Amino acid sequence: MSTLHDRFVDLAEEAPASPSPPGIWDDGRRKARRQRVGTAAVVAVTLVALTAVGGVGVHLSSTPPPVASRSGSAPALPSRIYEPSGWLPTSSGPPGPVSVVIPAHRSHWTSGYTWGLVGVSATSGRYAFLDLPDYGSEGPLSSDGQHLAYYTGTGPRHDQVLDGLAVYDTVTGRVVRWQPTLGRPLNVQNLAWTGSDALTFTMRAHGTRSSYFWRIGYGAPRPLMVHIGSLVGTAGTSGLYSVGRFRYRYLAVGSSSVANVRIEWPYRTLATPMAVSPSGRLVAAAHLTQRHSALLVGRVAQSGTRTKMRRVDAALQWPVIVGWADDRYLIVVAQASPQGYDAEGNDAARYALERVDVRTGSVDRISDVGSYWGTTVDYATGLLRTQTRDFPAPPDPMDPRLEVGLLAGTAVVGAVALVIRRRRVRA
């Protein structure tokens, strides 16, 4: 037995040393802890980045609550007009009366953009694309902001064929359509409201151009016995039409009578639009050139005699007439900055909605309209006599393609960082 014991002792002494260094267990546990901590840190940072990107997208897309006003929900024009984002949502229902309609690019995921119309609520100031079936091209907004006329079209956007007229009711959401059978594209021009529920226009059919009157909801348009001519402005809530050199006419709302206006114009050219006051007593027109501009007003003469126009001594740059608030105050869009005729192509140009006292020439700025010169946007002219209101700015949603790209990119970067981290810990 002693010999066996001695042999075991000898074998133990001759055995090689252990290849595992001392403390290997503790080192392994420390590495595992570092790996878990590093993984958790990378995941946490990635989640925070994803949450931040998503939060920014939600914040930019959210609509701020309306600002309280002493006038409550009374309809009003906004004191500032913002350029709408192409990613604004479509109104989920009728927006109610709108104060302004803005033509805008409507962005799409794959097809670039198409044109649409953004309505600005007259009561909340909310911006949204209007749901206009088969929208082809914009038409006029009624003076009360309740009805919007537009042209309908078929086919791809760049090959679109206008084939009819439609009227969208901003209060009920109802759309009334008229689609004539002509066998060719619609050739309607000079479309204007007469009151808040009827349209006048001219259309070429069977080789001749005729004038039409369409009362919404009472069947198809019917021919007018009188030719209304070319649209050059407004007369209260009716269209003002040219029927000769410095001769104009309009349909009196609520009757079939036609009113005629002749003016004595001191210049060779006359800018449009013109405007006759709601009472029919005054007419306003502008003269615009690249060097100077002039705003003129005259008291409409009776019995077909010429109306003498006088210059309004107002500090205005290239005013474009929007309409009358009453027989004393005329509303125009004028250039606010910089100097220069309408500053076309100049992104720095700014314009404003101005109230002009035609008796004294004093000018009050009532709204900042940004880059929208002249008749680029359509105003509910029935609101020109009311005070403007401060509404919140519309949302400016992030391009969803960019948002998805940022989210995907953040996730990929987080995954790569996690792999690199784990490899470093193992090394």
Side-chain angles (χ1 to χ4, degrees), residues 42-72:
V42 172
V43 171
V45 170
T46 302
L47 290 176
V48 169
L50 290 172
T51 302
V53 172
V56 169
V58 171
H59 174 72
L60 293 176
S61 301
S62 62
T63 302
V67 177
S69 172
R70 288 178 296 178
S71 58

Coordinates of all heavy atoms in Angstrom, one line a residue, residues 42-72:
V42 N -26.5 50.5 -25.4 CA -26.8 50.7 -26.8 C -28.3 50.7 -27.1 O -28.8 51.5 -27.9 CB -26.0 49.7 -27.6 CG1 -26.4 49.7 -29.1 CG2 -24.5 49.9 -27.5
V43 N -29.0 49.7 -26.5 CA -30.4 49.6 -26.7 C -31.1 50.8 -26.2 O -32.0 51.4 -26.9 CB -31.0 48.3 -26.1 CG1 -32.5 48.3 -26.1 CG2 -30.4 47.1 -26.7
A44 N -30.7 51.3 -25.0 CA -31.4 52.5 -24.5 C -31.2 53.7 -25.3 O -32.1 54.5 -25.6 CB -30.8 52.8 -23.1
V45 N -29.9 53.9 -25.8 CA -29.6 55.1 -26.7 C -30.4 55.0 -28.0 O -31.0 56.0 -28.5 CB -28.1 55.2 -27.0 CG1 -27.9 56.2 -28.0 CG2 -27.4 55.5 -25.7
T46 N -30.5 53.8 -28.5 CA -31.3 53.6 -29.8 C -32.7 53.9 -29.6 O -33.4 54.6 -30.4 CB -31.1 52.2 -30.3 OG1 -29.7 51.9 -30.5 CG2 -31.8 52.0 -31.6
L47 N -33.3 53.4 -28.4 CA -34.7 53.7 -28.2 C -35.0 55.2 -27.9 O -36.0 55.7 -28.4 CB -35.1 52.9 -26.9 CG -35.3 51.4 -27.1 CD1 -35.6 50.7 -25.8 CD2 -36.3 51.0 -28.2
V48 N -34.0 55.8 -27.3 CA -34.2 57.3 -27.0 C -34.2 58.0 -28.4 O -35.0 58.9 -28.6 CB -33.1 57.8 -26.1 CG1 -33.1 59.3 -26.1 CG2 -33.3 57.3 -24.7
A49 N -33.2 57.6 -29.3 CA -33.2 58.3 -30.6 C -34.4 58.0 -31.4 O -35.0 58.9 -32.0 CB -31.9 57.8 -31.3
L50 N -34.9 56.8 -31.4 CA -36.1 56.5 -32.1 C -37.3 57.2 -31.6 O -38.2 57.8 -32.3 CB -36.4 55.0 -32.0 CG -35.5 54.0 -32.8 CD1 -35.8 52.6 -32.5 CD2 -35.6 54.3 -34.3
T51 N -37.4 57.3 -30.2 CA -38.5 58.1 -29.6 C -38.4 59.6 -29.9 O -39.4 60.2 -30.2 CB -38.4 57.9 -28.1 OG1 -38.5 56.5 -27.7 CG2 -39.6 58.7 -27.4
A52 N -37.1 60.1 -30.0 CA -37.0 61.5 -30.3 C -37.4 61.8 -31.8 O -38.1 62.8 -32.0 CB -35.5 61.9 -30.1
V53 N -37.0 60.9 -32.7 CA -37.4 61.1 -34.1 C -38.9 61.1 -34.2 O -39.6 61.9 -34.8 CB -36.8 60.1 -35.0 CG1 -37.3 60.2 -36.4 CG2 -35.2 60.3 -35.0
G54 N -39.5 60.0 -33.6 CA -41.0 59.9 -33.6 C -41.7 61.1 -32.9 O -42.7 61.6 -33.4
G55 N -41.1 61.5 -31.8 CA -41.7 62.7 -31.1 C -41.7 63.9 -31.9 O -42.7 64.7 -31.9
V56 N -40.6 64.2 -32.6 CA -40.5 65.4 -33.5 C -41.5 65.3 -34.6 O -42.2 66.3 -34.9 CB -39.1 65.5 -34.1 CG1 -39.0 66.6 -35.2 CG2 -38.1 65.8 -33.0
G57 N -41.7 64.1 -35.2 CA -42.7 63.9 -36.2 C -44.1 64.2 -35.7 O -44.9 64.9 -36.4
V58 N -44.4 63.7 -34.6 CA -45.7 63.9 -34.0 C -46.0 65.4 -33.7 O -47.0 65.9 -33.9 CB -45.9 63.0 -32.7 CG1 -47.2 63.4 -32.0 CG2 -46.0 61.5 -33.1
H59 N -44.9 66.0 -33.1 CA -45.0 67.4 -32.7 C -45.3 68.3 -34.0 O -46.1 69.2 -33.9 CB -43.8 67.9 -32.0 CG -43.7 69.3 -31.7 ND1 -44.5 69.9 -30.7 CD2 -43.0 70.3 -32.3 CE1 -44.3 71.2 -30.7 NE2 -43.4 71.5 -31.6
L60 N -44.5 68.0 -35.0 CA -44.6 68.8 -36.2 C -46.0 68.6 -36.9 O -46.5 69.5 -37.5 CB -43.5 68.5 -37.2 CG -42.1 68.9 -36.8 CD1 -41.1 68.5 -37.8 CD2 -42.0 70.4 -36.6
S61 N -46.6 67.4 -36.7 CA -47.8 67.1 -37.4 C -49.0 67.6 -36.5 O -50.2 67.6 -37.0 CB -47.9 65.6 -37.6 OG -46.9 65.2 -38.5
S62 N -48.8 67.9 -35.3 CA -50.0 68.2 -34.4 C -50.5 69.6 -34.7 O -49.7 70.5 -35.0 CB -49.5 68.1 -32.9 OG -48.5 69.0 -32.6
T63 N -51.8 69.7 -34.5 CA -52.4 71.0 -34.7 C -52.6 71.7 -33.4 O -53.2 71.1 -32.4 CB -53.8 70.9 -35.3 OG1 -53.7 70.2 -36.6 CG2 -54.5 72.2 -35.6
P64 N -52.0 72.9 -33.2 CA -52.2 73.6 -31.9 C -53.6 74.0 -31.6 O -54.4 74.2 -32.5 CB -51.3 74.9 -32.1 CG -51.3 75.1 -33.6 CD -51.3 73.7 -34.2
P65 N -54.0 74.1 -30.3 CA -55.4 74.4 -30.0 C -55.6 75.9 -30.4 O -54.7 76.7 -30.5 CB -55.4 74.3 -28.5 CG -54.0 74.5 -28.1 CD -53.2 73.9 -29.2
P66 N -56.9 76.2 -30.8 CA -57.2 77.6 -31.2 C -57.0 78.5 -30.1 O -57.2 78.2 -28.9 CB -58.7 77.4 -31.6 CG -59.2 76.2 -30.9 CD -58.1 75.3 -30.8
V67 N -56.6 79.7 -30.5 CA -56.4 80.8 -29.5 C -57.8 81.4 -29.1 O -58.6 81.7 -29.9 CB -55.5 81.9 -30.1 CG1 -55.3 83.0 -29.1 CG2 -54.2 81.3 -30.4
A68 N -58.0 81.6 -27.8 CA -59.2 82.1 -27.3 C -59.3 83.6 -27.8 O -58.3 84.3 -27.9 CB -59.2 82.1 -25.8
S69 N -60.5 84.0 -28.1 CA -60.8 85.3 -28.6 C -62.0 85.9 -28.1 O -63.0 85.2 -27.8 CB -60.9 85.3 -30.2 OG -61.3 86.5 -30.7
R70 N -62.0 87.2 -27.9 CA -63.2 87.8 -27.3 C -64.4 87.7 -28.3 O -65.5 87.8 -27.9 CB -62.9 89.3 -27.0 CG -62.0 89.5 -25.8 CD -61.7 91.0 -25.6 NE -61.0 91.5 -26.8 CZ -60.6 92.8 -26.9 NH1 -61.0 93.7 -25.9 NH2 -60.0 93.2 -27.9
S71 N -64.1 87.5 -29.6 CA -65.1 87.4 -30.6 C -65.6 86.0 -30.7 O -66.5 85.7 -31.5 CB -64.6 87.9 -31.9 OG -63.5 87.1 -32.3
G72 N -65.1 85.1 -29.8 CA -65.6 83.7 -29.8 C -65.3 83.0 -31.2 O -64.2 83.1 -31.7

